[in-house]
Amino acid sequence: NYKTKEARQMATFEVRVIGRGAVSADMNFTITIRNNSNQILTADRLTLCDNGYFSESSHPVPAIPAYGVQTVSVTAPVCGKKYISDVKETIIIKYKSKTQSSSFWFGIYTDSLQKWCISSPLNILLIGAPGSTKSSLTNAFLTCTNNNWDFVTKAAVGGAERHCTTALARFKLEPFNINIWDMWGINPITVSFDTLDNIIAGVFPSNWNMEYTYNQFAQQLEEKKSSRDERKIHSVIYVMTQSTLDRADSRDYLKACFERLKDLNPLVVLSCLDEVSPSIRSNPAADDETITQARNKA
């Protein structure tokens, strides 16, 4: 449960979200009304106002004695089919002719993910060509699992065809016991197959720079051999852009890397398709020829 408080002269509202839910599903709340006055608050109705995501609904509230407390269970119905971009961070409450908003944690929409937690750390590697938005995807993961509505930008972004990420970086997704490993963009110059094998095996620690070689630090790496299992990669997210798919030279190298990783059953993510077809931004779930063509190429 997640709660917020908004104080008023007459009454204090405490809003709790009951459990978690999915985007576009009705949400259940309990709203506790505390009478801060020495007068009875007569029976009335509490209204959850239309905020563009939840539609308006009305709920009866019994009389509340002086300095008393009354809890109301309410269901906030969603206004038709909604997407993650439609989600609001607040609900609007009207009671006794006064209107207030109460915010709640974005994480209430991660019902399925929150229930899935493992005992041993899971290491997921993001891999792809320079500028394929691996770091942006890392920040998206961190933002969606953050305890508030702030955008998280721990991973540096904006490298485009250059390397914005120049070292192996580990980011923890709390509380799921998952580590996201972000690395520099791969090409035949920056990542040899031996380097890739060592990253997968957990040989290189966090902050391993793209300019380092195994022979430079062979002794230190051997000393850390006992902790390799903590860094061993269990799963791979392979990020590809439309431009990468259109270039034969990069395709051949990425296919060779993919072949080397196939035992990990990589998940392929196609990024930046909205740059080719801007209509994707307004409705990512729609059937779009650009998505179909890119999927077929991938």
Side-chain angles (χ1 to χ4, degrees), residues 123 125 166-171 180-184 195 198-210 212-214 217-225 227-233:
N123 293 315
L125 176 68
T166 58
L168 195 60
R170 179 178 62 182
F171 300 93
I180 298 293
W181 290 81
D182 187 19
M183 66 174 291
W184 57 92
T195 297
N198 282 328
I199 291 174
I200 297 298
V203 174
F204 299 147
S206 181
N207 297 321
W208 181 265
N209 192 279
M210 62 184 288
Y212 295 166
T213 65
Y214 182 94
F217 300 94
Q219 181 177 344
Q220 293 93 322
L221 293 174
E222 284 299 312
E223 292 172 355
K224 293 180 177 291
K225 193 172 183 177
S227 61
R228 288 181 183 178
D229 282 347
E230 299 174 8
R231 300 184 294 273
K232 184 178 179 181
I233 300 300

